[in-house]
Amino acid sequence: MESKARVFEELPCGVLEFDERGKVTHANEFLCDCLGYSREEICARTFDDLLTISSRIFHQTHFFPLLKLQGEAREIYLTLRAKDERAVPVLTNARLVKNGATALIICAFMPLKERAKYEEEILAARRKAEDALKNNSELQESRRELSRRLAELDGQIASVDRRNEELRRFGEIVSHDLSEPLRKIGAFADLVASECGGTLNREGLVALERLNAACDRMAELLSILKEYLWLDAEPENPGPVDLNEVVREAAQRLQEFVALSAEPLPTIRGCRHQLTTMFNLLFRSVAARRLADKIKVRIRGAVMEENSFRKLPGKYNYVETVQITIEDDGVGFAIEKGESLFQLIRKSKAAQPHPDLAICKKVVDNHRGEISLRSPTDRGAVFTISLPVNGERESMEGGVNPG
């Protein structure tokens, strides 16, 4: 008997004995150590006192009735409550043993210390799998949406290409095929003036002058249109462009009329010939508005981060851009409300056209930039040009020296 009792005490699991009223009659040392009670403290309690609230309800509604009905229960999950209120999950096997009129319940508890960790790992793995499935579903939906958008984009590009080709052909017709009839109209008008000028009355001479003026205006418009269309008809491979050199060359062409002071500008990736044309036309526009022998022009440049998406809301892609400010003290522009001076041909008959500015805007558009103009007073104008750097920003040392 003593050897059996010793084995009972040395079992590698918790053993508890209680009667049908729940009164604990015996507990081995393993269980005492696991719960932090002495043997006397455990034996002074009931089985319900050693259970958490949820396990106590389960014991009263399922565990104990099962023992009464079948005489045993196997692999029942319960949670014991230690002396320090710790929850101790255990796997329980129990048997109802009758000794005459007395019935005792013997329970063997196998602590499941790693169960909570395993459950957390299982739940974490499940959440990870659900997130992966969700992300995969979102990815598939994104791919379908991307394919749909690419199909739309391809159709739009094809439509734009067709329209551009039609506009190119129309531009060729307007700028080339109309030049010869216009030249003949002007020649015949000159012939009429030279041969019949003496026989024409005043109204005829006025009509002839208006005809010549209309021919000159048409020739000017055709020349502007031809130069405007050339920017797209003659594609240029982009490359590194030192804006200091471009500004210097433009200033030297008009150094008789322009006094330039300029801060250093960066090297950007662009079409050198187009950018040279733009600065030449800007300086020509500035020089045409001078009040004295020379007009003072100041150029400032700053590199900053700007969002390349201008039309799509909620889309962001910040790229380096150089913001160039050209300020002069010449005659200001008379800008009416809602009017743009960068239109190729202005609708208002009273408005003075500025085809050079329209070509400048075309160059800026070709470089995916922006240009604006403000004339704060009757004297002076400020052009602001933003151009993407598109690559490594070069050194801004040296500046612009017009010579």
Side-chain angles (χ1 to χ4, degrees):
M1 293 296 293
E2 293 181 1
S3 61
K4 289 183 179 181
R6 187 170 62 253
V7 172
F8 180 78
E9 291 294 332
E10 294 177 356
L11 285 175
C13 64
V15 178
L16 185 71
E17 183 183 86
F18 59 93
D19 58 24
E20 291 182 299
R21 294 176 300 175
K23 174 64 177 172
V24 176
T25 58
H26 183 76
N28 71 345
E29 194 66 29
F30 185 97
L31 183 62
C32 293
D33 293 340
C34 185
L35 299 181
Y37 287 108
S38 66
R39 196 187 307 272
E40 291 76 13
E41 289 175 325
I42 288 185
C43 291
R45 294 176 176 270
T46 63
F47 182 55
D48 281 348
D49 293 336
L50 301 177
L51 297 174
T52 60
I53 295 177
S54 58
S55 290
R56 188 180 305 167
I57 296 173
F58 181 79
H59 164 246
Q60 295 172 356
T61 58
H62 292 81
F63 184 59
F64 187 72
L66 181 64
L67 286 172
K68 294 284 287 184
L69 180 63
Q70 297 184 358
E72 65 177 4
R74 295 182 179 180
E75 298 181 3
I76 302 298
Y77 178 74
L78 296 174
T79 304
L80 302 179
R81 185 177 62 182
K83 185 177 181 178
D84 57 3
E85 301 298 329
R86 286 181 299 108
V88 181
V90 293
L91 193 63
T92 307
N93 287 341
R95 176 171 294 178
L96 181 64
V97 179
K98 291 187 178 181
N99 184 9
T102 304
L104 295 176
I105 299 170
I106 302 175
C107 297
F109 302 112
M110 182 64 68
L112 302 175
K113 295 181 179 180
E114 301 296 325
R115 180 184 177 93
K117 185 179 74 172
Y118 293 152
E119 289 180 345
E120 290 178 0
E121 292 177 352
I122 292 173
L123 290 175
R126 181 177 179 179
R127 286 193 294 267
K128 186 175 181 181
E130 290 176 348
D131 291 341
L133 180 61
K134 180 180 178 181
N135 292 336
N136 186 60
S137 300
E138 293 177 352
L139 178 61
Q140 294 297 330
E141 180 62 27
S142 298
R143 287 178 175 175
R144 287 191 291 269
E145 179 68 13
L146 179 60
S147 298
R148 187 179 66 81
R149 292 294 181 91
L150 286 175
E152 292 180 358
L153 180 61
D154 183 70
Q156 291 173 357
I157 291 175
S159 177
V160 170
D161 286 342
R162 288 193 300 269
R163 293 178 182 178
N164 284 342
E165 180 62 20
E166 293 173 356
L167 289 174
R168 186 186 65 81
R169 293 177 181 177
F170 175 76
E172 290 178 352
I173 293 174
V174 171
S175 61
H176 293 85
D177 297 355
L178 292 184
S179 297
E180 182 60 22
L182 182 63
R183 186 190 65 80
K184 290 182 178 180
I185 292 174
F188 283 122
D190 292 339
L191 180 62
V192 170
S194 62
E195 296 292 335
C196 307
T199 61
L200 294 176
N201 57 20
R202 179 175 178 81
E203 291 181 354
L205 293 174
V206 170
L208 196 60
E209 290 178 359
R210 290 181 177 177
L211 177 62
N212 285 325
C215 288
D216 293 341
R217 173 60 177 160
M218 180 65 72
E220 180 186 3
L221 291 177
L222 289 176
S223 176
I224 293 171
L225 182 61
K226 183 177 181 180
E227 188 172 4
Y228 188 82
L229 294 174
W230 163 84
L231 294 173
D232 287 331
E234 298 293 334
E236 180 183 354
N237 293 327
V241 179
D242 187 346
L243 294 180
N244 296 304
E245 295 180 0
V246 172
V247 171
R248 185 185 303 115
E249 292 174 4
Q252 286 177 343
R253 289 186 176 91
L254 296 170
Q255 59 182 344
E256 182 180 352
F257 309 107
V258 174
L260 176 67
S261 63
E263 295 179 358
L265 299 175
T267 294
I268 69 171
R269 183 172 179 81
C271 301
R272 181 181 180 84
H273 187 70
Q274 291 191 22
L275 291 172
T276 300
T277 300
M278 179 188 71
F279 280 103
N280 286 339
L281 294 178
L282 282 176
F283 282 163
R284 189 169 72 180
S285 173
V286 169
R289 294 180 293 104
R290 68 185 188 277
L291 293 172
D293 293 338
K294 282 194 175 185
I295 186 171
K296 295 180 181 179
V297 179
R298 181 185 178 188
I299 295 182
R300 292 172 291 172
V303 176
M304 60 189 64
E305 297 282 334
E306 288 187 355
N307 185 14
S308 62
F309 288 101
R310 304 185 187 278
K311 301 298 182 181
L312 296 178
K315 300 294 183 180
Y316 302 94
N317 178 38
Y318 288 93
V319 297
E320 279 190 329
T321 61
V322 55
Q323 187 174 89
I324 304 170
T325 303
I326 303 175
E327 186 176 358
D328 66 66
D329 63 348
V331 177
F333 290 92
I335 304 176
E336 299 179 4
K337 184 177 181 181
E339 182 186 25
S340 174
L341 299 183
F342 296 100
Q343 295 174 347
L344 182 62
I345 300 174
R346 300 171 71 184
K347 296 180 180 179
S348 174
K349 294 182 179 180
Q352 180 68 26
H354 297 280
D356 289 352
L357 300 185
I359 295 174
C360 291
K361 186 178 187 307
K362 182 67 172 177
V363 171
V364 173
D365 290 342
N366 288 347
H367 286 77
R368 298 179 62 84
E370 290 188 338
I371 184 171
S372 62
L373 167 65
R374 58 185 178 90
S375 189
T377 62
D378 293 337
R379 181 173 181 176
V382 180
F383 293 91
T384 302
I385 304 170
S386 294
L387 297 172
V389 175
N390 285 339
E392 291 292 331
R393 194 174 81 185
E394 299 291 335
S395 172
M396 294 179 62
E397 296 179 358
V400 178
N401 183 7

